[in-house]
Amino acid sequence: MEEQEQQTQTPGRFFINVQRRDDPVSEVTELDAIAAARTYGEIVVRGPLFGFAEQRRGERPRWRLLGGMDTGYPQDARDELNSHLWLKAKDETDDHLERRELLAAVARLETEPVNAVSACGTRYRIVRADEFARIGGGRLEPPRPTDVDTDGWDETPVRQGARTRGFVIDHSAAVGLTEGLDRVGLLSLSYTSRRFPPDVLADSRRAVTTHPGLVLLPVTFRIMEHKEQSWSMVGVQCDTPQEARRRLVSYLTESLPMFGDIGERDAAVYARAAERFTQQIRPNELRVRGRCFQIVRVERMMRIGPDGPEPPRRSDTDIQEPMKIRPTMDEWGTITHAE
C-alpha cells in the first residue's frame, strides 16, 4: 500500500542542534572547514540525485538511506528499491505473509512510478538531494586535508556509496559549529541559474517552504574536467579522493583508448601522464593534451519536511517507465524464470 503523505506544514519545528566538540580531531576538522570557506566561498549546484530510504516502525520519525544516493533519475531509484524488496522477500524472511506484503510492493514498483510504498510495518520512499560543489577563484574545491583518504594505487576500490548506505537522516542530530553554519547558509538556497526551466526554478523556491529542514549527507568526490567555460563529470561519484584518483587512471589508460576514438600515439601520451600521476602523493590535478582533470570535493544537501525527506519534485526529469527487474516469485519463495 502507498503511504499516506501528511500535508501539515510546521516549519517552526525545524532547528539546527549545534554542539561544541573539544576533541583534537574535531577541532582540526573545524579549522580546515573554516579555511576552505574563505577560499571557496561560493556554491555551484549541479542538480538532483535520487535514492531510497526506509522508516522502520521503531525508528520514527528518523529515516535511513538504503543505497548510495547517486542515481540521476527517480525511476533508477525506484528500480533499485524494487530489487531491494525482491531480495528481501527472497533472503530475509520465511514467513509467507511477510513475503506476500513485500512482493505486493514489488508488483506496484514494476508497473507504477510511485515514490512511496509500505510493507511489513516499514515505509519506503524515493528521496532526492541536491549535489553541489564549492568554488573560489574560478576553481572547484579539491579534497580537504581532513577528508578520509588513502595513498594506495592497487587497493580494491571500496563499494560505491558505502558511506551513504545506512546513513540516518536526522536533522535534529548534533553537528559541529561549521556544519551548523553551513546548514544555516543553505536553508534558503534555491536554483537561480538561467539554465533551469521556469518550472524547475518554481519548484526549487517552493521546496524552501515545504521542506524547511536540511541535512548534509557524507561528502563524496568526483573527477571533473575543467573546460574553458564549464566543468564536465567523468564517471561516478566516489567515497574517497583516492578512489577518484584510481578511477581517473583507469579512465586514461583503459576507457579512453577503448571508447575515446584516439590513436595509439595519443593513447601512449595519456598512459605516460597517468603513470606520472601515480608517482605523486595524493595528487588532485592532471593535465594532458590540453585537457585538465581535477579531483573535486562534492557535497549533497537533502531537504526535510514535516513527514521526512523530500521526494522527487514534479519538475524533476522522470521519463523512464517502470519495469520488471527480477523474476516472478510467489509468497512461498518459488521463483519462476521466464522461458
Side-chain angles (χ1 to χ4, degrees):
M1 295 178 60
E2 184 175 2
E3 63 176 302
Q4 298 298 310
E5 300 288 350
Q6 300 177 12
Q7 299 299 319
T8 304
Q9 295 179 12
T10 54
R13 64 178 285 201
F14 293 98
F15 62 93
I16 298 173
N17 181 8
V18 176
Q19 291 187 4
R20 179 179 176 83
R21 296 170 177 171
D22 295 324
D23 62 283
V25 173
S26 295
E27 289 181 1
V28 172
T29 301
E30 295 280 338
L31 291 173
D32 194 18
I34 292 171
R38 290 171 178 160
T39 305
Y40 304 97
E42 302 295 327
I43 286 175
V44 177
V45 178
R46 188 198 66 83
L49 292 171
F50 303 91
F52 60 102
E54 69 173 7
Q55 185 189 60
R56 300 176 185 175
R57 185 181 289 114
E59 295 184 346
R60 296 174 182 172
R62 295 175 179 82
W63 291 76
R64 185 184 305 273
L65 287 174
L66 297 177
M69 199 69 202
D70 59 354
T71 65
Y73 301 97
Q75 189 56 46
D76 290 334
R78 295 185 197 110
D79 290 344
E80 288 185 354
L81 176 57
N82 179 338
S83 183
H84 172 83
L85 293 176
W86 189 94
L87 290 171
K88 191 176 182 70
K90 172 179 175 289
D91 299 327
E92 297 184 26
T93 183
D94 292 322
D95 186 321
H96 75 100
L97 295 179
E98 288 186 358
R99 187 178 287 117
R100 181 193 298 174
E101 276 198 61
L102 290 165
L103 293 175
V106 169
R108 289 203 65 196
L109 289 162
E110 289 177 342
T111 57
E112 303 176 47
V114 293
N115 292 323
V117 294
S118 296
C120 306
T122 299
R123 305 169 72 193
Y124 298 93
R125 178 180 296 177
I126 306 304
V127 294
R128 89 187 293 283
D130 278 309
E131 183 179 42
F132 67 93
R134 300 179 188 272
I135 186 173
R139 179 182 174 85
L140 294 175
E141 183 183 9
R144 297 176 185 173
T146 48
D147 287 327
V148 176
D149 204 353
T150 59
D151 296 323
W153 292 98
D154 299 323
E155 298 176 13
T156 302
V158 297
R159 185 176 59 170
Q160 186 180 337
R163 294 185 63 208
T164 306
R165 206 171 274 113
F167 179 82
V168 176
I169 304 168
D170 183 4
H171 71 277
S172 64
V175 296
L177 176 61
T178 52
E179 180 172 337
L181 292 174
D182 278 346
R183 285 168 61 174
V184 169
L186 292 167
L187 285 175
S188 61
L189 180 70
S190 63
Y191 297 173
T192 58
S193 173
R194 295 179 180 178
R195 68 184 176 90
F196 294 114
D199 60 335
V200 172
L201 295 174
D203 275 355
S204 182
R205 290 192 297 269
R206 188 179 301 112
V208 174
T209 301
T210 61
H211 293 79
L214 190 142
V215 167
L216 291 176
L217 304 185
V219 66
T220 62
F221 304 88
R222 284 193 183 275
I223 307 163
M224 305 291 286
E225 182 176 0
H226 189 184
K227 299 183 178 179
E228 187 174 350
Q229 297 293 331
S230 64
W231 290 265
S232 62
M233 296 187 301
V234 179
V236 299
Q237 64 183 23
C238 302
D239 281 337
T240 66
Q242 191 66 12
E243 182 187 350
R245 297 179 192 113
R246 285 193 295 264
R247 288 184 181 273
L248 176 55
V249 170
S250 176
Y251 171 74
L252 295 174
T253 59
E254 299 175 18
S255 300
L256 264 182
M258 187 175 298
F259 306 110
D261 192 26
I262 62 174
E264 291 185 6
R265 180 175 299 178
D266 280 340
V269 172
Y270 283 112
R272 288 194 296 271
E275 176 63 25
R276 290 193 299 271
F277 190 69
T278 62
Q279 293 171 359
Q280 303 175 58
I281 298 176
R282 300 187 179 184
N284 293 320
E285 183 175 284
L286 186 153
R287 295 178 180 270
V288 57
R289 278 285 192 256
R291 303 173 69 177
C292 177
F293 299 95
Q294 297 177 347
I295 307 301
V296 172
R297 189 179 200 270
V298 176
E299 299 179 65
R300 295 166 294 176
M301 54 171 281
M302 177 178 288
R303 290 200 169 276
I304 312 296
D307 193 39
E310 184 183 16
R313 298 172 185 169
R314 291 174 297 179
S315 58
D316 288 327
T317 301
D318 194 12
I319 59 176
Q320 300 160 281
E321 295 293 330
M323 62 184 293
K324 192 176 184 66
I325 305 296
R326 299 280 184 169
T328 299
M329 184 194 316
D330 66 20
E331 64 185 83
W332 305 103
T334 303
I335 298 173
T336 304
H337 294 274
E339 294 289 334

